[in-house]
Structures are given as structure tokens and as C-alpha cells.
């Protein structure tokens, strides 16, 4: 996996990946609906929980993992997460 560290954080995963997923079916789970909705939001505005959800579902990892690492590095002091 190649991690992308230089990208426009005002763009969505959908834009960055160049892939538009079809809308989830009406009977899709809440998780599926949430992941689809998060893919169209600018990645720079995603919350920690939203990043966790997408990474946990293996969605947009090459773009989101660098963001998550930045957050972890910024929130650590003495090896502990604040």
C-alpha cells in the first residue's frame, strides 16, 4: 500500500480516488450508509471517529492513514496519547 501524504484535504475520498460509488440500497445497514456519506465529505473536515470508521472498513486508507498519524503525533506527549 502506498500512502499519499500530499493531497488536497478539501477534496473528498470520492474525488481523490476518482471513484463514485453507487448509492446504497434502502435496506443497507447504517454502517454502509455512513461510510458512503463520509466518502463525499472533504477529508480535512472528518472527525477522529469518522477517520476510525473509514480506516476500520479499509476505505480510503492511503489518504486517511497519514491524517490519523498526524493526529496521533500531535496528541502525544511522552509516548502517551493525550
Amino acid at each position: 500500500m502506498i500512502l499519499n501524504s500530499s493531497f488536497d484535504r478539501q477534496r473528498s475520498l470520492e474525488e481523490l480516488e476518482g471513484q463514485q460509488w453507487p448509492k446504497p440500497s434502502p435496506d443497507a445497514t447504517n454502517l454502509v450508509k455512513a461510510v458512503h456519506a463520509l466518502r463525499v465529505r472533504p477529508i480535512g473536515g472528518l472527525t477522529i471517529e469518522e477517520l476510525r470508521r473509514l480506516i476500520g472498513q479499509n476505505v480510503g486508507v492511503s489518504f486517511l492513514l497519514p491524517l490519523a498519524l498526524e493526529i496521533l503525533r500531535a496528541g502525544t506527549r511522552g509516548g502517551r496519547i493525550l
Side-chain angles (χ1 to χ4, degrees):
M1 168 189 1
I2 297 173
L3 299 179
N4 296 306
S5 58
S6 60
F7 47 82
D8 184 356
R9 295 173 187 205
Q10 297 304 311
R11 297 178 71 196
S12 67
L13 284 174
E14 191 172 89
E15 294 169 319
L16 292 166
E17 294 175 342
Q19 296 179 338
Q20 186 176 20
W21 289 3
K23 292 186 179 188
S25 65
D27 61 338
T29 65
N30 288 336
L31 177 60
V32 169
K33 291 176 184 177
V35 168
H36 277 257
L38 292 173
R39 286 192 79 252
V40 299
R41 294 199 19 226
I43 62 171
L46 296 173
T47 67
I48 292 170
E49 177 61 24
E50 292 166 341
L51 288 171
R52 183 204 61 79
R53 176 173 275 181
L54 288 166
I55 292 169
Q57 294 301 309
N58 202 30
V59 174
V61 173
S62 64
F63 294 101
L64 301 179
L65 200 52
L67 294 179
L69 290 173
E70 281 180 22
I71 292 167
L72 287 171
R73 286 183 183 130
T76 60
R77 185 177 303 149
R80 296 182 59 188
I81 298 175
L82 302 176

